[in-house]
Amino acid sequence: MWLEPALRTVGAPVLDWDAAGEACARMLDQSVENVRGASIRTASDVITFKAQQIRACLGAGRPSFALVDEETRGALFSLFATQHVVSGFAASEEGLEVIRSFPIFATVAGDRTDLTSGKYVTCPPGVAFAETLRSFGGLLEFKDDAREFYKALGVPELEDADVLARFIAPSLEKLNVPGRTAALTYLKRHWPRLKESEPLCDALRSARFVEANGTDALMSPGNLYDPEVELLHAVFRGQTGAFPAGAWLDADWLDLLRDVGLRSTVDATLFQLCATRVAARAIGLRIAYPTEAGARRYPPVPPAPTSADLALSQTTADSDDSDAIDDDDEAALDKEAGLVIAAGAMLANHLVDNIAHLYTANVCEVVLGVPFVPAALGVPGEPGPGCAGCNVLTSFSHAMLPEHWASVFMHLPVLPLDFVPPQFARSRLRVKSEPGASAVAAHLVALGSSPNEGGAVVALARWTPAAGDPCVAVAAALAVLGDAGVDALEAREIEALSDAAFVPVAGGAATEAPRRLWLRAPARLAPLAFELPSSLTEHAGFLRRLGLRDELTPADADAALRVAARKANGRALGPNELRAAVAALRHAVDFEASSSVEVVAQRRRSATPVPDSFGVLTPSAALFHAWGAPRSLLTRLDRRKLRLAHDLVPAGSCAVAGIRAVRDAVFERRVVDGSDGPDGGPDEHVGPDQSQSEDRVPTTRARWTSEGGAEWPEARAFAAALSRDALADALHAVLRARWCAVPSREALREKLRDVSGSFRVVDSLRIGLAAESNGVVFDVTLGPPAPTHAFRDARDGTVYVSPPDNPAARGSLATPLLARAVSSALGVGDDGTATVALVALVQASSAGEDPIAAMEATTTAFGGNVRDDDSSSRDSDVPFDTAHGDGASASARGDPGAVVLPRDARLLAARPLRPLVAGETCAIRESKIRRRFGSPGEAAAAAAESRAAGSGGVAHEDRYVYARVVSATRPAKGAALTRVLLESGPGGETLEALSSEVFTFRLVSELGPDETGAGAGGGSGRDGPEPTFTASRDPLEADAVTPADPGGEFTSPTRRADCADSGFDSSRDPVSSDDLVRAVRDLLTAAGAPPSAAQTDLLAANQRLRGELEDVSGAVAAAEKEIAEKEAHAARVEKAFLCPITQGVMTDPVVALDGHTYERRAIEQWFSQGRLTSPVTNLRLNTTTLVPNHALRGAITAHASRSGE
C-alpha cells in the first residue's frame, strides 16, 4: 500500500492486512463512519484523523517530521491540496487545524514550514510589487491549484492593495528614492480603486512618506494639515512640518492624502489645538489679553491681511512666524499681528457656526481661558464686522459684549458681534453679560491716564466719527456708576477717578479730570480750565462726588496756572494755552485786587506762574513787565538775561501780580574797560523814580569837568545855552504845544540849569544796561556795550560827553548829539520832540544879534507860545505809554494772518478728524492765504508750486500763519474730511479750508519728555528766537492800562469773524473725491514723501471708483428696500388670499354667514362634519348658506398671473 511508508515514518501503527484480515478493516470502518460529523472519505481524511489521534496520545507533543524527506512532504501537500474539495474530516476546521501543524508548506525561500509558527501569505506572481516580497519570510510559494486549499487554511492571497498595505506602506520611509517614487506613482494612478482598501488607508495614515514644509524629514498624513482649509492654513501658517509641500500640493495628491488621514475637519480635539496655537502666537507678539509686563497696553489695530499676504505667507512658510521677526521691525510685527488676528477670527467664526457640535463641557472648560478670540481694546466704538477694528486676542472669560463697549473699552476687550456665542453657551464660556462698577471705574481711569499710557488725548486720537460723540460714551459709563452708586466703589477707586482726565472737553479735542472741571467756567480759560460739557450735566451729582465744583473762582484760576506750569515743565505754551493762561491770570488777579493787603502779599510770595515773552510759565517774582518802558530801552534789552512778562499780559495784571516794571529796574550806565562802572567803581542803581523830578531843586551846582584832559569846546557852549531861562521857556512852550508830558516852567528851568553844570568830557564813551533785583546788580545788555557821544547817568546826574574822532565834525554834531542826552535827563518822553526842539532852540540862541527873537520864532514854528499862561491843565504830568502801541508783534499774540513763531511751530499737528472748537487758534499754510487773497502773480506762482509738488518734485518749505476757527466743526460719521470756516487775516477775512489743511496746536502736556527742542520750523522755549522787541497791547483789550492805572477794566472788541451764528454749515458742501486726493497729496508732500503723478492718478481713479461704487451700492440698497417693501406688501396681500381653515391660497372663495371668506371645499367639509359654528369666531351659525366671493377670486387670479404662477 503506498501510504504505508508514510505511516511508518511518522510512527503510526500499521495494521497487517494479512494477519488481521478483512474483519479488522470492517470493524474500523464501522467505528469511524462518522468522525465528529465529518466523513473519512479520502486518504487525506485518514492521515489527518490518524495525526489527530497521535497528537491525542502524545498530549502536548505532535508527530515529528524530522525523518520525512522533502519529496514526501511535497507529496503530502499535493495530496491535501488535490483532495481538499472532496475530503471530509480533512476539510473540517478540526482537520484543517491538524494540517496547519504539518511542515509541508513551501516558502519562496525554498524551505518547508508549518502554518502555526507565524503569519503566512501567498501572492500571485502577476501582482504589483510581488517580486519585492521574496525577502519576506512569511510568503508561501504560490500554487495555482492550491488556491482553494490556502483559502481554507486561512492563508491570504495578496492583491496589490494588500501588498502595499502589508509590505510597501510601512517601509516607504526606508525605501530608496526610485523605489518610493515608483510605489507612490502606482498609488496615485490606481487610487480610485485602492482607496476602498481600509487596511491600505490605515497603513498609509501612519506611514511617513509625505514631504512637509520647513523640514527634510518625511511626515505621515495623519500628522499634517490640509493647506486648502483656510482655517488650518491661517492657524498653523509658518509651523515647521505642518503642511504638505512641493509636489504634494497638487490637487490629486491632496485628495489622496485626505483619504488617508490628512487633517481637514476641525473637530473638537483639533479646535482646542488650534486655539492653543493661535494663543501662543498672540502671546509671542504681545497682543494677547491680559497683556504681559512691558507690552503695549493698547496695541495698534493691525492692517487687515490681503490675499497677497496670505499667499506670501504660504510660500514662505519655512520659518516659524513670530520667532523669525525682528522685534524692531514694527511694520513686519504689525503685519504678523494682522495675520494672527485673522486666524483667531476664523476660529471664533468656526466656533459660533458649529457651536452645536463643539459645545461640550470639556471644550468650553479648555477654551474659555485661551486668548484666541479677536477683540478691540482701547479702540472706541463697537468693533466692525469680522475682526475689523480688533487689536488683541482675548478669551471669552475676559471679553465684554459689544453693546457695552462705551463702559469698558479701555479696560476690557470688546467682542465683535460676529463672535458673540449663542445665549445658551455664554454662561459656560463665562462671557460677561454686564460690566461691574469696578470694571467701569477702571475703564474711566485708563481713559483719563497720561498720553504716555495711551489715555487722554491719545485715546481721543483713536476716536473716529463712527464711534460717535465721546461725551455720549462717557455718559454711558457714568450712568452705570450712577446706578451702582458711590458706595459700590472703594475709596482708592474714587480717588483715582477724581484725578483721571476722562471727561471729554473742547468738543472732544481734549480731556480733563472731574476735580479740574466746573459747572460754570469762562470759556476763554480753555484749554487750562474747562466747563463741564452740557451733555454730561445730568451726571453732575455723581461727578460732584469726584471733585466737580460749581463755579471757577480766582483761586481756582491760580491753581490752574500752577497745574499748567507743572505739566509744561519749562516748555513754551502753544497759542491757545498762552491766551488761556493770560485769561486765567486776569481771573486770578481779580481776586487779589479785591482782597486785603495781607492776602495779596501772601499771593505774591507764592509767585503765581505768568507767561514770559517766550510763552514759558514763570513765577511772577522772576519777571519784569515792559509797560511804560521806553522803546529805546527795550530794543537794547536782552530778554534772556531779564525775563519779561508776555506782551499779552495786561499792565494791571502785572501790577497786581507783583511783577516789577522794567523802567523801575533797568538803568543805563557807563561801561569802562576792565570795570563794572565808571572810574573802576561799582555802579549804584538810581532808578527813574529817584532821578530829578519837577519838584527837585538842586542845592549845589556841579562843575564842568573833563577826564584825561579831554576837551570839547562846542559842548561847553551847548551847556552854557541850557542855563538860559529864555531857552527853558521856549522849550516849555514847544513841549506844551506838542502835548508832551512836561513839568512846570520853573521846574524845567531848574532841570536845565542843573544839567548845564553836570557835563563831563571823556575820551571815549560806551554805555550798557543793568538791572537790580533783590539787591544784586547784573548786566542785561543785548550784545556788547554801545558807543555813544553823550550819555546822562541817572545815578548822579552827570552828563558824559565824548567828542567825535573827526575834529571837523565836532562843531556841527555837537548840538544834535548832546540834545538827545539832555532830553533823556529831562524825562519828557522819547518820541524825539524834545530832542528836535532843543537842537533848534540851541542853534537859534547862538545865531544873530537877537537870540531871544530867534528862539521865539523857533517856538512859533513848532506851534508854541512862550507867553502862554503856565496854569493850563495841559501842564499836568500826563502818564505816557511809549512801549505799547501799533508796533506790537502780531505773531507773539497769535493774531490771524501772522506768521507762526518757531516755538509754536513745533506744536503743530495734522489731525483731519479732530473736532475744532469755535475761537480755537490753529494754523494754515501761508500759500493757502496767497491763493485766496494774493495777487494774480502770487496765485500763478502758487499754482506752479502746486504743480511741481503734484509731479513728484520736492515740495518747497512752506511757512504757516495763525488762523482762528469761526464755527465749531466735527467730521460726519464715516467721513474722512470736513470743511472748516477760518478767520485768516487781521481784518477779519475768512476762508473755507479742508480739515486736512488745518494744523492744530498740541497742548504742551501732550509732548513727550524728549520733545523740548525744535519742531517744524525752529527752536522753542526760552532758547528760541526773540519774537518781538516791544510789549504789545492785548488784542482782546480795548484800552491800554499803564502802571498809573493798574486796576483798569478791559473790554473785548467785536470782530467780523467772531459771530457765533456764522451761518456756516460744513455739511452743505460735502468733500469731493478731488478734495480728498488733493488732501492726501498735500499731507504726503508735507511729510517729505510727495506722490508721483502716476500715484496721484491712481488714487484719483480709486476715489472715482469708490464714488461710483457708493452710488451703485446706494441704488442697490434703494432697490432692495423697494423689493422688501413690495414683498412685505405681497405677503400682506397673500395673507388675505389664505383660507382660515386650510391656510392655503383659495381657488373658489365663498363667504359664510359670519362674514369671513373660506375655500368652498374646506367650509363644506366643516359643515358636513356636523359643525354649525364659525371656524374663526366659534359662534353658532343659523344657516350654512355660502355666497361666492367673485371680487376676491378675481384678485387672486390677477395676482397669480403677475407672479407668473
Side-chain angles (χ1 to χ4, degrees):
M1 185 176 177
W2 64 270
L3 191 59
E4 180 182 352
L7 294 176
R8 292 184 184 277
T9 300
V10 299
V14 178
L15 177 65
D16 188 345
W17 181 267
D18 294 335
E22 184 178 355
C24 291
R26 284 197 300 270
M27 291 178 61
L28 180 63
D29 291 339
Q30 292 175 0
S31 63
V32 295
E33 181 176 359
N34 288 302
V35 180
R36 300 182 186 276
S39 301
I40 304 298
R41 293 192 294 267
T42 63
S44 61
D45 292 334
V46 175
I47 296 173
T48 303
F49 177 73
K50 285 296 184 180
Q52 182 191 41
Q53 296 298 319
I54 295 172
R55 289 176 61 182
C57 294
L58 296 176
R62 62 178 180 175
S64 174
F65 278 75
L67 300 179
V68 180
D69 56 20
E70 177 66 23
E71 182 179 357
T72 304
R73 295 185 186 190
L76 279 176
F77 176 82
S78 299
L79 177 66
F80 289 136
T82 55
Q83 294 184 359
H84 171 70
V85 294
V86 295
S87 295
F89 181 76
S92 66
E93 183 58 35
E94 191 173 1
L96 291 173
E97 183 63 27
V98 175
I99 295 174
R100 290 190 187 97
S101 65
F102 293 163
I104 60 176
F105 302 96
T107 66
V108 295
D111 55 353
R112 299 277 179 173
T113 183
D114 61 78
L115 300 183
T116 59
S117 59
K119 293 183 178 180
Y120 294 91
V121 297
T122 182
C123 180
V127 174
F129 307 106
E131 67 279 2
T132 63
L133 305 183
R134 294 196 173 276
S135 60
F136 175 61
L139 182 64
L140 301 180
E141 188 179 58
F142 177 77
K143 293 183 179 297
D144 188 62
D145 56 352
R147 299 176 81 165
E148 291 296 328
F149 180 50
Y150 275 140
K151 183 177 181 181
L153 291 171
V155 177
E157 180 180 318
L158 300 181
E159 298 179 352
D160 53 355
D162 300 322
V163 174
L164 291 169
R166 290 171 176 263
F167 303 102
I168 303 300
S171 58
L172 276 174
E173 183 181 14
K174 301 177 181 179
L175 292 178
N176 55 32
V177 175
R180 185 165 59 249
T181 302
L184 294 176
T185 303
Y186 185 86
L187 267 175
K188 183 179 180 182
R189 182 182 303 118
H190 298 281
W191 186 248
R193 174 178 55 85
L194 296 176
K195 67 180 180 181
E196 303 298 330
S197 172
E198 291 187 10
L200 176 58
C201 291
D202 293 340
L204 290 175
R205 182 174 292 109
S206 58
R208 294 178 174 268
F209 64 92
V210 185
E211 298 176 8
N213 64 300
T215 179
D216 294 332
L218 297 177
M219 305 294 292
S220 59
N223 291 327
L224 295 176
Y225 304 100
D226 193 337
E228 292 188 350
V229 176
E230 188 178 11
L231 170 58
L232 296 177
H233 175 261
V235 170
F236 295 100
R237 175 189 55 83
Q239 178 176 324
T240 300
F243 301 101
W248 293 96
L249 295 176
D250 178 75
D252 292 339
W253 277 122
L254 288 177
D255 289 340
L256 186 152
L257 294 178
R258 292 185 185 107
D259 292 335
V260 297
L262 184 68
R263 307 185 78 170
S264 303
T265 302
V266 183
D267 54 14
T269 302
L270 183 54
F271 182 85
Q272 297 175 35
L273 180 62
C274 291
T276 304
R277 164 70 179 172
V278 170
R281 292 169 63 189
I283 293 172
L285 291 169
R286 296 185 175 184
I287 58 171
Y289 180 89
T291 55
E292 296 180 338
R296 291 177 294 185
R297 185 175 184 182
Y298 305 111
V301 177
T306 63
S307 56
D309 294 334
L310 296 175
L312 181 63
S313 66
Q314 183 173 0
T315 57
T316 59
D318 294 339
S319 61
D320 197 6
D321 38 62
S322 58
D323 296 336
I325 300 177
D326 187 357
D327 290 340
D328 295 331
D329 191 349
E330 293 187 4
L333 288 173
D334 288 344
K335 180 179 289 187
E336 180 64 22
L339 291 169
V340 173
I341 289 177
M346 296 178 192
L347 264 179
N349 269 326
H350 183 81
L351 177 63
V352 173
D353 294 342
N354 300 274
I355 191 69
H357 305 291
L358 298 176
Y359 181 70
T360 63
N362 182 54
V363 171
C364 292
E365 194 65 28
V366 171
V367 304
L368 66 85
V370 178
F372 73 92
V373 187
L377 178 64
V379 181
E382 185 175 326
C387 57
C390 296
N391 59 339
V392 297
L393 292 183
T394 186
S395 61
F396 282 113
S397 59
H398 286 108
M400 181 57 66
L401 297 179
E403 55 264 31
H404 301 299
W405 73 266
S407 302
V408 295
F409 74 89
M410 292 292 290
H411 177 62
L412 293 177
V414 179
L415 288 177
L417 184 61
D418 294 346
F419 305 151
V420 175
Q423 186 69 40
F424 69 87
R426 295 178 189 176
S427 175
R428 190 174 290 276
L429 291 173
R430 301 180 190 174
V431 179
K432 295 177 175 60
S433 58
E434 292 184 357
S438 295
V440 177
H443 155 71
L444 291 178
V445 170
L447 180 61
S449 60
S450 67
N452 294 333
E453 297 175 344
V457 293
V458 174
L460 292 180
R462 296 191 295 266
W463 212 289
T464 62
D469 188 349
C471 288
V472 175
V474 172
L478 291 175
V480 176
L481 295 180
D483 294 340
V486 179
D487 296 338
L489 300 175
E490 299 180 4
R492 59 177 181 81
E493 292 175 323
I494 296 176
E495 184 65 22
L497 282 171
S498 301
D499 290 327
F502 64 83
V503 181
V505 291
T511 60
E512 193 53 272
R515 65 174 40 168
R516 290 189 290 274
L517 287 174
W518 292 265
L519 281 175
R520 294 177 298 278
R524 64 179 182 272
L525 267 63
L528 299 189
F530 291 98
E531 188 174 78
L532 183 70
S534 58
S535 57
L536 296 178
T537 53
E538 61 178 308
H539 303 288
F542 179 81
L543 291 173
R544 280 195 178 94
R545 302 291 297 272
L546 302 181
L548 175 70
R549 284 162 283 181
D550 288 339
E551 187 171 2
L552 186 139
T553 65
D556 294 332
D558 181 83
L561 282 171
R562 299 179 188 278
V563 172
R566 185 175 65 252
K567 290 182 178 180
N569 193 23
R571 293 172 293 198
L573 301 179
N576 292 298
E577 295 167 293
L578 182 60
R579 289 178 174 273
V582 173
L585 177 64
R586 291 177 53 198
H587 198 80
V589 298
D590 285 346
F591 166 75
E592 294 184 352
S594 60
S595 301
S596 63
V597 177
E598 294 77 9
V599 173
V600 173
Q602 181 181 1
R603 301 282 292 175
R604 290 184 178 181
R605 287 194 297 270
S606 64
T608 299
V610 177
D612 68 3
S613 59
F614 298 106
V616 178
L617 284 173
T618 307
S620 58
L623 291 178
F624 297 81
H625 71 79
W627 289 91
R631 187 188 307 274
S632 59
L633 181 67
L634 296 177
T635 57
R636 297 157 51 201
L637 183 64
D638 191 339
R639 300 194 182 190
R640 293 173 181 83
K641 298 177 182 178
L642 190 73
R643 305 288 293 280
L644 298 184
H646 196 275
D647 299 349
L648 291 176
V649 180
S653 299
C654 291
V656 179
I659 301 175
R660 295 180 58 191
V662 168
R663 68 176 184 178
D664 295 335
V666 178
F667 57 91
E668 288 184 308
R669 65 178 178 176
R670 180 190 175 200
V671 178
V672 181
D673 292 340
S675 67
D676 294 330
D679 302 325
D683 287 331
E684 296 180 1
H685 169 51
V686 180
D689 55 335
Q690 297 172 330
S691 62
Q692 299 164 351
S693 64
E694 69 269 24
D695 298 326
R696 177 181 180 273
V697 179
T699 58
T700 59
R701 297 297 182 188
R703 299 181 299 106
W704 174 275
T705 59
S706 64
E707 183 178 298
E711 290 293 340
W712 191 2
E714 291 80 5
R716 185 183 292 271
F718 181 86
L722 294 179
S723 62
R724 301 173 183 173
D725 291 344
L727 184 140
D729 295 343
L731 179 61
H732 184 270
V734 171
L735 294 178
R736 289 178 64 235
R738 295 289 180 170
W739 293 94
C740 295
V742 59
S744 64
R745 183 176 298 175
E746 287 300 325
L748 184 60
R749 287 178 181 179
E750 289 297 322
K751 282 187 176 183
L752 287 175
R753 282 194 294 267
D754 190 33
V755 171
S756 67
S758 303
F759 277 68
R760 185 175 186 179
V761 183
V762 295
D763 289 330
S764 64
L765 181 61
R766 294 188 305 145
I767 60 173
L769 297 180
E772 183 271 335
S773 179
N774 298 326
V776 179
V777 177
F778 53 95
D779 179 71
V780 293
T781 308
L782 180 63
T788 187
H789 294 285
F791 160 64
R792 191 250 184 186
D793 192 337
R795 297 173 301 171
D796 56 8
T798 302
V799 178
Y800 292 92
V801 295
S802 175
D805 295 335
N806 185 3
R810 293 180 179 179
S812 61
L813 295 179
T815 301
L817 292 175
L818 300 175
R820 182 180 302 171
V822 174
S823 176
S824 174
L826 296 177
V828 291
D830 68 341
D831 63 347
T833 301
T835 301
V836 175
L838 269 175
V839 171
L841 291 172
V842 170
Q843 290 177 347
S845 66
S846 60
E849 298 180 354
D850 191 357
I852 301 299
M855 285 190 290
E856 288 183 356
T858 302
T859 302
T860 303
F862 275 96
N865 187 352
V866 179
R867 296 179 176 82
D868 277 351
D869 186 5
D870 192 36
S871 63
S872 173
S873 61
R874 293 182 297 170
D875 293 334
S876 62
D877 192 359
V878 179
F880 182 78
D881 180 16
T882 61
H884 296 67
D886 296 335
S889 170
S891 292
R893 299 192 302 261
D895 289 348
V899 176
V900 173
L901 295 176
R903 67 165 180 252
D904 290 340
R906 86 194 196 283
L907 300 174
L908 290 177
R911 298 173 178 173
L913 296 179
R914 179 185 180 275
L916 297 174
V917 183
E920 178 180 358
T921 298
C922 56
I924 55 176
R925 287 190 176 88
E926 189 179 32
S927 57
K928 174 72 176 177
I929 299 181
R930 287 204 308 268
R931 285 196 299 268
R932 176 67 175 83
F933 300 106
S935 64
E938 292 174 336
E945 292 172 350
S946 177
R947 287 193 299 270
S951 61
V954 178
H956 67 286
E957 183 178 357
D958 206 347
R959 293 197 305 175
Y960 298 87
V961 296
Y962 294 102
R964 190 168 294 149
V965 179
V966 176
S967 299
T969 305
R970 176 188 293 272
K973 185 175 182 179
L977 296 173
T978 187
R979 298 189 184 277
V980 186
L981 183 63
L982 301 173
E983 179 187 356
S984 58
E989 300 91 342
T990 60
L991 63 82
E992 287 187 17
L994 296 176
S995 57
S996 61
E997 298 174 321
V998 178
F999 297 84
T1000 56
F1001 291 97
R1002 293 180 294 169
L1003 300 180
V1004 176
S1005 58
E1006 297 179 38
L1007 298 179
D1010 298 330
E1011 292 186 86
T1012 58
S1020 65
R1022 67 190 63 178
D1023 298 326
E1026 194 67 34
T1028 178
F1029 48 80
T1030 60
S1032 64
R1033 182 189 303 268
D1034 188 340
L1036 298 180
E1037 317 304 335
D1039 302 314
V1041 177
T1042 67
D1045 184 19
E1049 294 295 330
F1050 296 85
T1051 58
S1052 299
T1054 303
R1055 306 182 64 93
R1056 289 202 301 262
D1058 286 340
C1059 181
D1061 186 13
S1062 63
F1064 176 74
D1065 184 5
S1066 60
S1067 62
R1068 76 175 189 274
D1069 186 13
V1071 178
S1072 65
S1073 59
D1074 293 338
D1075 292 332
L1076 184 60
V1077 171
R1078 177 163 56 87
V1080 172
R1081 183 188 62 207
D1082 291 345
L1083 289 174
L1084 291 176
T1085 301
S1092 64
Q1095 291 171 328
T1096 303
D1097 294 341
L1098 182 61
L1099 179 59
N1102 176 269
Q1103 290 302 311
R1104 284 194 296 272
L1105 292 176
R1106 288 174 64 91
E1108 294 175 2
L1109 179 61
E1110 290 178 359
D1111 294 340
V1112 173
S1113 300
V1116 171
E1120 290 177 346
K1121 181 179 179 181
E1122 183 180 358
I1123 292 174
E1125 292 175 350
K1126 291 183 176 180
E1127 289 179 347
H1129 176 71
R1132 291 192 299 270
V1133 171
E1134 290 182 354
K1135 187 176 181 180
F1137 297 164
L1138 301 181
C1139 171
I1141 299 175
T1142 64
Q1143 292 300 310
V1145 178
M1146 294 178 285
T1147 58
D1148 187 9
V1150 293
V1151 180
L1153 185 62
D1154 60 357
H1156 294 282
T1157 302
Y1158 304 92
E1159 175 66 30
R1160 181 182 293 275
R1161 288 186 302 168
I1163 190 64
E1164 289 177 349
Q1165 184 178 4
W1166 176 276
F1167 291 151
S1168 66
Q1169 293 175 353
R1171 301 170 179 170
L1172 298 179
T1173 58
S1174 168
V1176 176
T1177 64
N1178 202 33
L1179 297 177
R1180 183 173 183 81
L1181 300 177
N1182 296 327
T1183 179
T1184 59
T1185 303
L1186 302 175
V1187 179
N1189 192 336
H1190 299 292
L1192 182 58
R1193 183 172 184 173
I1196 294 174
T1197 303
H1199 178 74
S1201 62
R1202 284 196 304 268
S1203 302
E1205 298 178 356

